[in-house]
Each structure stands twice: as C-alpha cells, then as structure tokens.
Amino acid sequence: MRVVIIGAGPAGLTVAETLREYDRKAEIVLLSSEPFAPYAPPAMADHFLTGRNETLFWKGEDVCGRLGVDHRANVRVTRVRPASRQIVLDGGETLDYHRLVIASGSSLYAPLPGRDLPGVYDFKSLTAARALVERGKSKAGGKAVIVGAGFIGVEIAILLRELGLAVTMVEMADRVMPSMLDSETAEIVLAAMRELGIDVRLETKATGFTGKRKATGVALESGSGIKADVYVAATGVKPHIEFLGGSGIDAKWGVLVDDHLRTSVPDVYAAGDVAETFDLLTGKRYVHAIFPNAVTQARVVAMNLLGYDTVYPGSETMNSLKHLGLPVMAVGAMKGEEELRSRHGNVTRKIFLSDGRIVGFRLAGDISAAGVYRSLMIRRADVRAIGKHLLDPHFSAGALALEAAAARLDLRFAA
Ligand SMILES: Cc1cc2nc3c(=O)[nH]c(=O)nc-3n(C[C@H](O)[C@H](O)[C@H](O)COP(=O)(O)OP(=O)(O)OC[C@H]3O[C@@H](n4cnc5c(N)ncnc54)[C@H](O)[C@@H]3O)c2cc1C
C-alpha cells in the first residue's frame, strides 16, 4: 500500500506514525511545503523565547528516518487528480497513490488590503515565525503593531515584547480573544497584557496595511493610522484547500469529511486543521483548529486506512494561554442557560450549564480543575446535584469519583 500524506504537521506526522506502528511494510510518503522536520506549532513561541528545540520537534528531528517514512520537504502539492490517483507537485512532477491523506493544515486568514505587502509578518508557520522573529530582533527598541487580538495575536505580542519592542495591538471587538473568552475572563487577560506593557486598543478596526512597495502603516476605520517598525497580521486562520480545485473533493470552509474522516472521493481522507468535522457536543459542522483534534483525527484516519472500522467521536473546542504569567483555559461553549461563577482576585472559574450539563468553562489563575470539568462535560454528566461544589477550590478528581459512585448508587449530593 502506498499512502501519500499532504502536510507534515501534527496531523500528517501522526497518520504516518500510527500507520507505521501497525504496518511495517506500507510505503509512506510525507510531503511538506516547508524545509523543516515535522514540528508542533504550539511550541513555536516557547522555542523562540527559550531556544528549546525538544517541544518544537516533538517527535525528534530524526523521526521520519526512524519510522522509515519518505519525508519530502520543500515541495508543494498544486493539484489532486483522483481519477488517475495522482497528485501534482509544484515542479510539475506527479506522484501516484493508493490512499491519499489531506493534512495540509491552515494558513493566515487576513482579508485586509495590503496584507501581501513585504513587511507584513505573521506567525502561522515556522517559516513565517522565523522571519518575524528575525525582523523583531533587528528592530529591538522599536515599535510593532499587531492587527488582531486573538489567541495567536496575544502569543505574538508577548514574544515581541520579550524581544524588546513596544507593542500595540488593535482589535475590532470589545475584548481580547473574543472567540475564546467571555468578557470577564478577557478583562483579566487584558489586565495581564497591560501589565506586560502591551498597548491593547479595543473596538479599533484596522482597514488595511498601507504602503506602495512595502508596508508603511496600518490604516484604521477612524481615519487615523499607526506607524511602526514591524507589522503583523493575526486575524485568523483558514484551511489550506486551494490545491483541491477541480479534484471533485467537496469542501466548504474546510474539506468535508464523514464520521470516518473520509472525503467525498474514495480512498481520500482528511485530518487536522484542514478538515471540517463536527462538534462532539453539538454535532454541528465546524473546523476546530487545535492540536488535540488534529492528532485524534490523524489516528482515526490511520486506523481506517489499516482497515479497522473506526468512527471519529467529534471535535472539542479547547485552548489554553501560556507565557502570560497567568494560566488561562477555555473549553467548550462561552454561555449556557445557567452560569456558575467564582472569583478571588485573578483566580476565576466560570462554568456554563445547559439542561444541568456542563457545556463549557473558562478558568484563569488556576486551571487545576480543567481535567475534571472536561471529563464531566464530555460524559454529559448531570451536575445539578453537585451544584456550587463545582466551584470549590478543592473540587478535584476525588469529587468526580464520589459523584460517579453516587450516580451508580442513585445517591445525590446536597447542593
Ligand atoms: C502560534 C500557534 C500557536 C498554537 N497554539 C496552540 C495551542 O496552544 N493549543 C492547541 O491545541 N493548538 C494550538 N495551535 C493550533 C495547532 O498548531 C494546529 O491545530 C495544528 O498544528 C494542526 O495540525 P495540522 O497538521 O492539521 O496542520 P499544520 O500544523 O498547519 O500543518 C500542515 C502542514 O502542511 C503543509 N502544507 C500545506 N499545504 C501544502 C501543500 N499544498 N503541499 C505540501 N504541504 C502543504 C504546511 O506547510 C504545514 O507544514 C497553535 C497554532 C499556532 C500557529
């Protein structure tokens, strides 16, 4: 069996690794448009802040050699031709496959005029991140402006601050990380960012990057502009699907897959940020672009390629913020029919409930309860009987075990 995998990110590499674990003979070709060994994007900030390589190259830089995987770096797939079971590379070369996995991830989504001007940086790949860090280092003591205060934008702001730049962020929403945090948790994060000296401007919409041959400013809807030495776009991500045009593989925002992560074309699967799967709790179609989903999907794809009938349970929404000096965790929905809340200084716990079940939670300052909440959420456990004990600072796995035992015995805690 010859399996060709497009993309050597966490999803692509995990498909290759899982396949190899069960099949010593399969020919596995892993294609990457970047020149590096497979890496983990969540570790990029740490890599640049500390110089550490271990978490960046999370399976070791020699992983493909060890696994006997044919890793071809610096090649870009430009077309997929399912009728002849071939893909086309940017040099015009074609590659045959028996099974194809699309694991091409996502790239920056910045629908802003001037986004392609030289001098506009992003942090979506190791190639892009290196260029940004080099520019940041060469402009230490100067100014940076970041458009977008989402999760990746905040990571960039902290990094550029560490590199010695004065950082301004513009965000059109009324809070930082608007798709991830409720307003109260966002307030705590905003205060921590301001403590670090980051100038965050909310409800400030950028209308584009200005300049003729290179970026010379950020234009704002108010009519004013911001000049800086380093310009960064951090406005979102979009699945890498451009090369699928004419292939017959159905895609909307991402590649549409079924519950076995098969695409609309036989023997072609998709996993990771490129795949439009469905939410574990709501069943709604969505691209959940986070690392754990990419890895779980990749394992499901590999098992199906191996002939095991494996169903994907659905994606989770989950994110954590590192490097802020304050742990923050966001899981699931941002509101529910009911809300449980506690706050002691910066230590905040907010749990959102619908129909007596946890549908999401936000934690700041202390995230030790995250595992227990998540477990209750995924099990769709009825937590009405536990009630406000969920917010107890000592609420822990012990409480979970007790709750499970009580449920079995049909006992209930006094709320
Ligand atoms: C700065 C940053 C921080 C993050 N932090 C977190 C975090 O804390 N927690 C978390 O859960 N998630 C985090 N994420 C998201 C996480 O990194 C992604 O969900 C994960 O990397 C998805 O893996 P993937 O393999 O699907 O895609 P990617 O990692 O995007 O890898 C896809 C690869 O395919 C290659 N490729 C694309 N098109 C082609 C083509 N045509 N031909 C050949 N190769 C191609 C790309 O170059 C890329 O190397 C973060 C992402 C970034 C950028």
CSV table of all heavy atoms in Angstrom, one decimal, residues 61-118:
chain,number,residue,atom,x,y,z
A,61,GLU,N,13.9,15.3,15.6
A,61,GLU,CA,14.2,15.8,14.2
A,61,GLU,C,14.4,14.6,13.3
A,61,GLU,O,14.3,14.7,12.1
A,61,GLU,CB,15.4,16.7,14.2
A,61,GLU,CG,15.0,18.1,14.9
A,61,GLU,CD,16.0,19.1,14.7
A,61,GLU,OE1,16.2,19.6,13.5
A,61,GLU,OE2,16.7,19.5,15.7
A,62,ASP,N,14.8,13.4,13.9
A,62,ASP,CA,15.1,12.3,13.0
A,62,ASP,C,13.9,11.3,12.9
A,62,ASP,O,14.0,10.2,12.4
A,62,ASP,CB,16.2,11.5,13.6
A,62,ASP,CG,15.9,11.0,15.0
A,62,ASP,OD1,14.9,11.5,15.6
A,62,ASP,OD2,16.7,10.1,15.5
A,63,VAL,N,12.7,11.8,13.3
A,63,VAL,CA,11.5,10.9,13.3
A,63,VAL,C,11.2,10.2,12.0
A,63,VAL,O,10.9,9.0,12.0
A,63,VAL,CB,10.2,11.7,13.8
A,63,VAL,CG1,9.9,12.8,12.9
A,63,VAL,CG2,9.1,10.7,14.0
A,64,CYS,N,11.3,10.9,10.9
A,64,CYS,CA,10.9,10.2,9.6
A,64,CYS,C,11.9,9.1,9.3
A,64,CYS,O,11.5,8.0,8.8
A,64,CYS,CB,10.8,11.2,8.5
A,64,CYS,SG,9.4,12.3,8.8
A,65,GLY,N,13.2,9.3,9.6
A,65,GLY,CA,14.2,8.3,9.4
A,65,GLY,C,13.9,7.1,10.2
A,65,GLY,O,14.0,5.9,9.8
A,66,ARG,N,13.6,7.3,11.5
A,66,ARG,CA,13.4,6.2,12.4
A,66,ARG,C,12.2,5.4,12.0
A,66,ARG,O,12.1,4.2,12.1
A,66,ARG,CB,13.1,6.8,13.8
A,66,ARG,CG,14.4,7.0,14.6
A,66,ARG,CD,14.0,7.3,16.1
A,66,ARG,NE,13.5,8.6,16.3
A,66,ARG,CZ,12.2,8.9,16.6
A,66,ARG,NH1,11.4,8.0,16.8
A,66,ARG,NH2,11.8,10.2,16.8
A,67,LEU,N,11.1,6.1,11.5
A,67,LEU,CA,9.9,5.4,11.1
A,67,LEU,C,10.0,4.8,9.7
A,67,LEU,O,9.1,4.1,9.3
A,67,LEU,CB,8.7,6.4,11.1
A,67,LEU,CG,8.3,7.0,12.5
A,67,LEU,CD1,7.2,8.0,12.3
A,67,LEU,CD2,7.8,5.8,13.4
A,68,GLY,N,11.0,5.1,9.0
A,68,GLY,CA,11.1,4.7,7.6
A,68,GLY,C,10.0,5.3,6.7
A,68,GLY,O,9.4,4.7,5.9
A,69,VAL,N,9.8,6.6,6.9
A,69,VAL,CA,8.9,7.4,6.2
A,69,VAL,C,9.6,8.3,5.2
A,69,VAL,O,10.6,8.9,5.5
A,69,VAL,CB,8.0,8.3,7.1
A,69,VAL,CG1,7.3,9.4,6.4
A,69,VAL,CG2,7.1,7.4,8.0
A,70,ASP,N,9.2,8.3,3.9
A,70,ASP,CA,9.8,9.1,2.9
A,70,ASP,C,9.3,10.5,3.0
A,70,ASP,O,8.3,10.9,2.5
A,70,ASP,CB,9.4,8.5,1.5
A,70,ASP,CG,10.0,9.2,0.4
A,70,ASP,OD1,10.7,10.2,0.6
A,70,ASP,OD2,9.6,8.9,-0.8
A,71,HIS,N,10.1,11.3,3.8
A,71,HIS,CA,9.7,12.7,4.0
A,71,HIS,C,10.3,13.6,2.9
A,71,HIS,O,11.5,13.7,2.8
A,71,HIS,CB,10.2,13.2,5.4
A,71,HIS,CG,9.9,14.6,5.7
A,71,HIS,ND1,10.8,15.5,6.3
A,71,HIS,CD2,8.8,15.4,5.5
A,71,HIS,CE1,10.2,16.7,6.5
A,71,HIS,NE2,9.0,16.6,6.0
A,72,ARG,N,9.4,14.3,2.2
A,72,ARG,CA,9.9,15.2,1.1
A,72,ARG,C,9.6,16.6,1.5
A,72,ARG,O,8.4,17.0,1.5
A,72,ARG,CB,9.3,14.8,-0.2
A,72,ARG,CG,9.6,13.4,-0.6
A,72,ARG,CD,9.3,13.1,-2.0
A,72,ARG,NE,9.2,11.7,-2.2
A,72,ARG,CZ,8.9,11.1,-3.3
A,72,ARG,NH1,8.5,11.8,-4.4
A,72,ARG,NH2,8.9,9.8,-3.5
A,73,ALA,N,10.6,17.3,1.9
A,73,ALA,CA,10.4,18.7,2.4
A,73,ALA,C,10.5,19.7,1.2
A,73,ALA,O,11.0,19.3,0.1
A,73,ALA,CB,11.5,19.1,3.4
A,74,ASN,N,10.0,20.9,1.4
A,74,ASN,CA,10.1,21.9,0.3
A,74,ASN,C,9.4,21.6,-1.0
A,74,ASN,O,9.8,22.0,-2.0
A,74,ASN,CB,11.5,22.2,0.0
A,74,ASN,CG,12.0,23.5,0.7
A,74,ASN,OD1,11.2,24.3,1.0
A,74,ASN,ND2,13.3,23.5,1.0
A,75,VAL,N,8.3,20.8,-0.9
A,75,VAL,CA,7.5,20.5,-2.1
A,75,VAL,C,6.1,20.9,-1.8
A,75,VAL,O,5.5,20.7,-0.7
A,75,VAL,CB,7.5,19.0,-2.5
A,75,VAL,CG1,8.9,18.6,-3.0
A,75,VAL,CG2,7.1,18.1,-1.5
A,76,ARG,N,5.5,21.5,-2.8
A,76,ARG,CA,4.1,22.0,-2.6
A,76,ARG,C,3.2,21.2,-3.6
A,76,ARG,O,3.5,21.1,-4.8
A,76,ARG,CB,4.0,23.5,-2.9
A,76,ARG,CG,2.6,24.1,-2.7
A,76,ARG,CD,2.7,25.6,-2.8
A,76,ARG,NE,3.4,26.2,-1.7
A,76,ARG,CZ,2.8,26.4,-0.5
A,76,ARG,NH1,1.5,26.1,-0.3
A,76,ARG,NH2,3.5,26.9,0.5
A,77,VAL,N,2.1,20.7,-3.1
A,77,VAL,CA,1.1,20.0,-3.9
A,77,VAL,C,0.3,21.1,-4.6
A,77,VAL,O,-0.3,22.0,-3.9
A,77,VAL,CB,0.2,19.0,-3.1
A,77,VAL,CG1,-0.8,18.4,-4.0
A,77,VAL,CG2,1.1,18.0,-2.4
A,78,THR,N,0.1,21.0,-5.9
A,78,THR,CA,-0.6,22.0,-6.6
A,78,THR,C,-2.0,21.5,-7.1
A,78,THR,O,-2.9,22.2,-7.4
A,78,THR,CB,0.1,22.6,-7.8
A,78,THR,OG1,0.5,21.5,-8.6
A,78,THR,CG2,1.4,23.4,-7.3
A,79,ARG,N,-2.1,20.1,-7.3
A,79,ARG,CA,-3.3,19.6,-7.8
A,79,ARG,C,-3.5,18.1,-7.3
A,79,ARG,O,-2.5,17.4,-7.0
A,79,ARG,CB,-3.4,19.5,-9.3
A,79,ARG,CG,-3.6,20.9,-9.9
A,79,ARG,CD,-3.9,20.8,-11.4
A,79,ARG,NE,-5.2,20.2,-11.6
A,79,ARG,CZ,-5.7,19.9,-12.8
A,79,ARG,NH1,-5.0,20.2,-13.9
A,79,ARG,NH2,-6.9,19.3,-13.0
A,80,VAL,N,-4.8,17.7,-7.2
A,80,VAL,CA,-5.1,16.3,-6.8
A,80,VAL,C,-5.9,15.8,-8.0
A,80,VAL,O,-6.9,16.5,-8.4
A,80,VAL,CB,-5.8,16.2,-5.5
A,80,VAL,CG1,-6.2,14.8,-5.2
A,80,VAL,CG2,-4.9,16.7,-4.4
A,81,ARG,N,-5.6,14.6,-8.5
A,81,ARG,CA,-6.3,14.0,-9.6
A,81,ARG,C,-6.8,12.7,-9.2
A,81,ARG,O,-6.2,11.6,-9.5
A,81,ARG,CB,-5.4,13.9,-10.9
A,81,ARG,CG,-5.0,15.2,-11.5
A,81,ARG,CD,-4.2,14.9,-12.7
A,81,ARG,NE,-3.6,16.1,-13.3
A,81,ARG,CZ,-2.5,16.1,-14.0
A,81,ARG,NH1,-1.7,15.0,-14.0
A,81,ARG,NH2,-2.0,17.2,-14.5
A,82,PRO,N,-7.9,12.6,-8.5
A,82,PRO,CA,-8.4,11.3,-8.0
A,82,PRO,C,-8.7,10.3,-9.1
A,82,PRO,O,-8.5,9.1,-8.9
A,82,PRO,CB,-9.7,11.7,-7.3
A,82,PRO,CG,-9.6,13.1,-7.0
A,82,PRO,CD,-8.8,13.7,-8.1
A,83,ALA,N,-9.1,10.7,-10.3
A,83,ALA,CA,-9.4,9.8,-11.4
A,83,ALA,C,-8.2,8.9,-11.7
A,83,ALA,O,-8.3,7.7,-12.0
A,83,ALA,CB,-9.9,10.5,-12.6
A,84,SER,N,-7.0,9.5,-11.7
A,84,SER,CA,-5.8,8.7,-12.0
A,84,SER,C,-5.0,8.4,-10.8
A,84,SER,O,-3.9,8.0,-10.8
A,84,SER,CB,-4.9,9.5,-13.0
A,84,SER,OG,-4.7,10.8,-12.6
A,85,ARG,N,-5.6,8.7,-9.6
A,85,ARG,CA,-4.9,8.5,-8.3
A,85,ARG,C,-3.5,9.1,-8.3
A,85,ARG,O,-2.5,8.5,-8.0
A,85,ARG,CB,-4.8,7.0,-7.9
A,85,ARG,CG,-6.2,6.5,-7.6
A,85,ARG,CD,-6.1,5.0,-7.1
A,85,ARG,NE,-7.4,4.5,-6.9
A,85,ARG,CZ,-7.9,4.3,-5.7
A,85,ARG,NH1,-7.2,4.4,-4.6
A,85,ARG,NH2,-9.2,3.9,-5.6
A,86,GLN,N,-3.5,10.4,-8.6
A,86,GLN,CA,-2.2,11.1,-8.7
A,86,GLN,C,-2.3,12.5,-8.0
A,86,GLN,O,-3.4,13.1,-8.0
A,86,GLN,CB,-1.8,11.3,-10.2
A,86,GLN,CG,-1.2,10.2,-10.9
A,86,GLN,CD,-0.8,10.6,-12.3
A,86,GLN,OE1,-1.4,11.4,-12.9
A,86,GLN,NE2,0.3,10.0,-12.7
A,87,ILE,N,-1.2,12.9,-7.6
A,87,ILE,CA,-1.1,14.3,-7.2
A,87,ILE,C,0.0,15.0,-8.0
A,87,ILE,O,0.9,14.3,-8.5
A,87,ILE,CB,-0.8,14.5,-5.7
A,87,ILE,CG1,0.5,13.8,-5.3
A,87,ILE,CG2,-2.0,14.1,-4.8
A,87,ILE,CD1,1.0,14.3,-3.9
A,88,VAL,N,-0.1,16.3,-8.1
A,88,VAL,CA,0.9,17.1,-8.9
A,88,VAL,C,1.6,18.0,-8.0
A,88,VAL,O,1.0,18.7,-7.1
A,88,VAL,CB,0.2,17.9,-10.0
A,88,VAL,CG1,1.2,18.6,-10.9
A,88,VAL,CG2,-0.8,17.0,-10.9
A,89,LEU,N,3.0,18.0,-8.1
A,89,LEU,CA,3.8,18.9,-7.3
A,89,LEU,C,4.1,20.2,-8.0
A,89,LEU,O,4.0,20.2,-9.3
A,89,LEU,CB,5.1,18.2,-6.9
A,89,LEU,CG,4.9,16.8,-6.2
A,89,LEU,CD1,6.2,16.2,-5.8
A,89,LEU,CD2,4.0,17.0,-4.9
A,90,ASP,N,4.6,21.2,-7.3
A,90,ASP,CA,4.9,22.5,-7.9
A,90,ASP,C,5.9,22.4,-9.1
A,90,ASP,O,5.8,23.2,-10.0
A,90,ASP,CB,5.2,23.5,-6.9
A,90,ASP,CG,6.3,23.1,-5.9
A,90,ASP,OD1,6.8,22.0,-6.0
A,90,ASP,OD2,6.5,23.9,-5.0
A,91,GLY,N,6.8,21.4,-9.1
A,91,GLY,CA,7.7,21.4,-10.2
A,91,GLY,C,7.1,20.7,-11.4
A,91,GLY,O,7.8,20.5,-12.5
A,92,GLY,N,5.8,20.2,-11.3
A,92,GLY,CA,5.2,19.5,-12.4
A,92,GLY,C,5.2,18.0,-12.3
A,92,GLY,O,4.5,17.3,-13.0
A,93,GLU,N,6.1,17.5,-11.3
A,93,GLU,CA,6.2,16.1,-11.1
A,93,GLU,C,4.9,15.5,-10.6
A,93,GLU,O,4.2,16.2,-9.9
A,93,GLU,CB,7.3,15.9,-10.0
A,93,GLU,CG,7.7,14.4,-9.8
A,93,GLU,CD,8.5,14.3,-8.5
A,93,GLU,OE1,9.1,15.3,-8.0
A,93,GLU,OE2,8.6,13.2,-8.0
A,94,THR,N,4.6,14.3,-11.0
A,94,THR,CA,3.4,13.6,-10.4
A,94,THR,C,3.8,12.5,-9.5
A,94,THR,O,4.8,11.9,-9.6
A,94,THR,CB,2.4,13.1,-11.5
A,94,THR,OG1,3.2,12.2,-12.3
A,94,THR,CG2,1.9,14.2,-12.4
A,95,LEU,N,2.9,12.2,-8.5
A,95,LEU,CA,3.1,11.1,-7.6
A,95,LEU,C,1.9,10.2,-7.6
A,95,LEU,O,0.7,10.8,-7.4
A,95,LEU,CB,3.3,11.6,-6.2
A,95,LEU,CG,4.7,12.1,-5.7
A,95,LEU,CD1,4.6,12.5,-4.2
A,95,LEU,CD2,5.7,10.9,-5.8
A,96,ASP,N,2.0,8.9,-7.6
A,96,ASP,CA,0.9,8.0,-7.6
A,96,ASP,C,0.6,7.6,-6.1
A,96,ASP,O,1.5,7.6,-5.3
A,96,ASP,CB,1.2,6.7,-8.3
A,96,ASP,CG,1.4,7.0,-9.8
A,96,ASP,OD1,1.0,8.0,-10.3
A,96,ASP,OD2,2.1,6.2,-10.5
A,97,TYR,N,-0.7,7.4,-5.9
A,97,TYR,CA,-1.0,6.9,-4.5
A,97,TYR,C,-2.1,5.8,-4.6
A,97,TYR,O,-2.9,5.7,-5.6
A,97,TYR,CB,-1.6,8.1,-3.7
A,97,TYR,CG,-2.9,8.7,-4.1
A,97,TYR,CD1,-4.1,8.1,-3.8
A,97,TYR,CD2,-2.9,9.9,-4.9
A,97,TYR,CE1,-5.3,8.6,-4.2
A,97,TYR,CE2,-4.1,10.4,-5.3
A,97,TYR,CZ,-5.3,9.8,-5.0
A,97,TYR,OH,-6.5,10.3,-5.4
A,98,HIS,N,-2.1,5.0,-3.6
A,98,HIS,CA,-3.3,4.1,-3.4
A,98,HIS,C,-4.3,4.7,-2.5
A,98,HIS,O,-5.5,4.6,-2.6
A,98,HIS,CB,-2.8,2.7,-2.8
A,98,HIS,CG,-1.9,2.0,-3.6
A,98,HIS,ND1,-0.7,1.5,-3.2
A,98,HIS,CD2,-1.9,1.7,-4.9
A,98,HIS,CE1,0.0,0.9,-4.2
A,98,HIS,NE2,-0.8,1.0,-5.3
A,99,ARG,N,-3.7,5.4,-1.4
A,99,ARG,CA,-4.6,6.1,-0.5
A,99,ARG,C,-3.9,7.5,-0.3
A,99,ARG,O,-2.7,7.6,-0.2
A,99,ARG,CB,-4.6,5.5,0.9
A,99,ARG,CG,-5.0,4.0,0.9
A,99,ARG,CD,-6.5,3.8,0.9
A,99,ARG,NE,-6.8,2.4,1.1
A,99,ARG,CZ,-6.8,1.5,0.2
A,99,ARG,NH1,-6.4,1.8,-1.1
A,99,ARG,NH2,-7.1,0.2,0.5
A,100,LEU,N,-4.8,8.5,-0.2
A,100,LEU,CA,-4.3,9.9,0.0
A,100,LEU,C,-4.9,10.5,1.3
A,100,LEU,O,-6.1,10.3,1.6
A,100,LEU,CB,-4.7,10.7,-1.2
A,100,LEU,CG,-4.3,12.2,-1.2
A,100,LEU,CD1,-2.8,12.3,-1.4
A,100,LEU,CD2,-5.0,13.0,-2.4
A,101,VAL,N,-4.0,11.2,2.0
A,101,VAL,CA,-4.5,11.9,3.2
A,101,VAL,C,-4.2,13.4,3.0
A,101,VAL,O,-3.0,13.8,2.8
A,101,VAL,CB,-3.8,11.4,4.5
A,101,VAL,CG1,-4.3,12.1,5.7
A,101,VAL,CG2,-4.0,9.9,4.7
A,102,ILE,N,-5.2,14.2,3.2
A,102,ILE,CA,-5.1,15.6,3.1
A,102,ILE,C,-4.9,16.1,4.5
A,102,ILE,O,-5.8,16.0,5.3
A,102,ILE,CB,-6.3,16.3,2.4
A,102,ILE,CG1,-6.5,15.7,1.0
A,102,ILE,CG2,-6.1,17.8,2.4
A,102,ILE,CD1,-7.8,16.1,0.4
A,103,ALA,N,-3.7,16.6,4.8
A,103,ALA,CA,-3.4,17.1,6.2
A,103,ALA,C,-2.6,18.4,6.0
A,103,ALA,O,-1.6,18.6,6.7
A,103,ALA,CB,-2.6,16.1,7.0
A,104,SER,N,-3.1,19.3,5.2
A,104,SER,CA,-2.4,20.5,4.8
A,104,SER,C,-2.6,21.6,5.7
A,104,SER,O,-2.1,22.7,5.5
A,104,SER,CB,-2.8,20.9,3.3
A,104,SER,OG,-4.2,20.8,3.2
A,105,GLY,N,-3.4,21.4,6.8
A,105,GLY,CA,-3.5,22.4,7.9
A,105,GLY,C,-4.2,23.7,7.4
A,105,GLY,O,-5.0,23.7,6.6
A,106,SER,N,-3.7,24.8,8.0
A,106,SER,CA,-4.3,26.1,7.8
A,106,SER,C,-3.2,27.2,7.6
A,106,SER,O,-2.1,27.0,8.0
A,106,SER,CB,-5.3,26.5,8.9
A,106,SER,OG,-4.6,26.4,10.1
A,107,SER,N,-3.6,28.3,7.0
A,107,SER,CA,-2.7,29.4,6.9
A,107,SER,C,-3.4,30.7,7.4
A,107,SER,O,-4.6,30.6,7.8
A,107,SER,CB,-2.3,29.6,5.4
A,107,SER,OG,-3.4,29.7,4.6
A,108,LEU,N,-2.7,31.7,7.4
A,108,LEU,CA,-3.3,33.0,7.9
A,108,LEU,C,-4.5,33.4,7.0
A,108,LEU,O,-4.4,33.3,5.8
A,108,LEU,CB,-2.2,34.1,7.8
A,108,LEU,CG,-2.7,35.5,8.1
A,108,LEU,CD1,-2.9,35.7,9.6
A,108,LEU,CD2,-1.7,36.5,7.6
A,109,TYR,N,-5.5,33.9,7.7
A,109,TYR,CA,-6.7,34.4,7.0
A,109,TYR,C,-6.7,35.9,7.3
A,109,TYR,O,-7.0,36.3,8.5
A,109,TYR,CB,-7.9,33.7,7.5
A,109,TYR,CG,-9.2,34.3,6.9
A,109,TYR,CD1,-9.4,34.3,5.5
A,109,TYR,CD2,-10.2,34.9,7.7
A,109,TYR,CE1,-10.6,34.8,5.0
A,109,TYR,CE2,-11.3,35.4,7.2
A,109,TYR,CZ,-11.5,35.4,5.8
A,109,TYR,OH,-12.7,35.9,5.3
A,110,ALA,N,-6.4,36.7,6.4
A,110,ALA,CA,-6.3,38.1,6.6
A,110,ALA,C,-6.9,38.9,5.5
A,110,ALA,O,-6.2,39.3,4.5
A,110,ALA,CB,-4.8,38.6,6.8
A,111,PRO,N,-8.2,39.0,5.5
A,111,PRO,CA,-8.9,39.7,4.3
A,111,PRO,C,-8.8,41.2,4.5
A,111,PRO,O,-9.7,41.9,4.7
A,111,PRO,CB,-10.4,39.3,4.5
A,111,PRO,CG,-10.5,39.0,5.9
A,111,PRO,CD,-9.2,38.6,6.5
A,112,LEU,N,-7.5,41.7,4.4
A,112,LEU,CA,-7.2,43.1,4.5
A,112,LEU,C,-6.4,43.6,3.4
A,112,LEU,O,-5.4,42.9,3.0
A,112,LEU,CB,-6.4,43.3,5.8
A,112,LEU,CG,-7.0,43.2,7.2
A,112,LEU,CD1,-5.9,43.3,8.2
A,112,LEU,CD2,-8.0,44.3,7.3
A,113,PRO,N,-6.7,44.7,2.8
A,113,PRO,CA,-5.9,45.3,1.7
A,113,PRO,C,-4.4,45.5,2.2
A,113,PRO,O,-4.3,45.8,3.4
A,113,PRO,CB,-6.5,46.6,1.4
A,113,PRO,CG,-7.9,46.5,1.9
A,113,PRO,CD,-7.9,45.6,3.1
A,114,GLY,N,-3.5,45.2,1.4
A,114,GLY,CA,-2.1,45.4,1.8
A,114,GLY,C,-1.5,44.2,2.5
A,114,GLY,O,-0.3,44.2,2.9
A,115,ARG,N,-2.3,43.2,2.8
A,115,ARG,CA,-1.8,42.0,3.6
A,115,ARG,C,-0.5,41.4,2.9
A,115,ARG,O,0.3,40.8,3.6
A,115,ARG,CB,-2.9,41.0,3.7
A,115,ARG,CG,-2.6,39.8,4.5
A,115,ARG,CD,-2.4,38.6,3.6
A,115,ARG,NE,-1.8,37.4,4.2
A,115,ARG,CZ,-0.6,37.3,4.5
A,115,ARG,NH1,0.3,38.2,4.3
A,115,ARG,NH2,-0.1,36.1,5.0
A,116,ASP,N,-0.5,41.4,1.6
A,116,ASP,CA,0.7,40.8,0.9
A,116,ASP,C,1.9,41.7,0.7
A,116,ASP,O,2.9,41.3,0.1
A,116,ASP,CB,0.2,40.2,-0.5
A,116,ASP,CG,-0.8,39.1,-0.3
A,116,ASP,OD1,-0.6,38.3,0.7
A,116,ASP,OD2,-1.8,39.0,-1.1
A,117,LEU,N,1.8,42.9,1.2
A,117,LEU,CA,3.0,43.8,1.0
A,117,LEU,C,4.2,43.2,1.8
A,117,LEU,O,4.0,42.7,2.9
A,117,LEU,CB,2.6,45.2,1.7
A,117,LEU,CG,1.8,46.1,0.8
A,117,LEU,CD1,1.3,47.3,1.7
A,117,LEU,CD2,2.5,46.6,-0.4
A,118,PRO,N,5.4,43.4,1.2
A,118,PRO,CA,6.5,43.0,2.0
A,118,PRO,C,6.5,43.8,3.3
A,118,PRO,O,6.2,45.0,3.3
A,118,PRO,CB,7.7,43.4,1.1
A,118,PRO,CG,7.1,43.5,-0.3
A,118,PRO,CD,5.7,43.9,-0.1
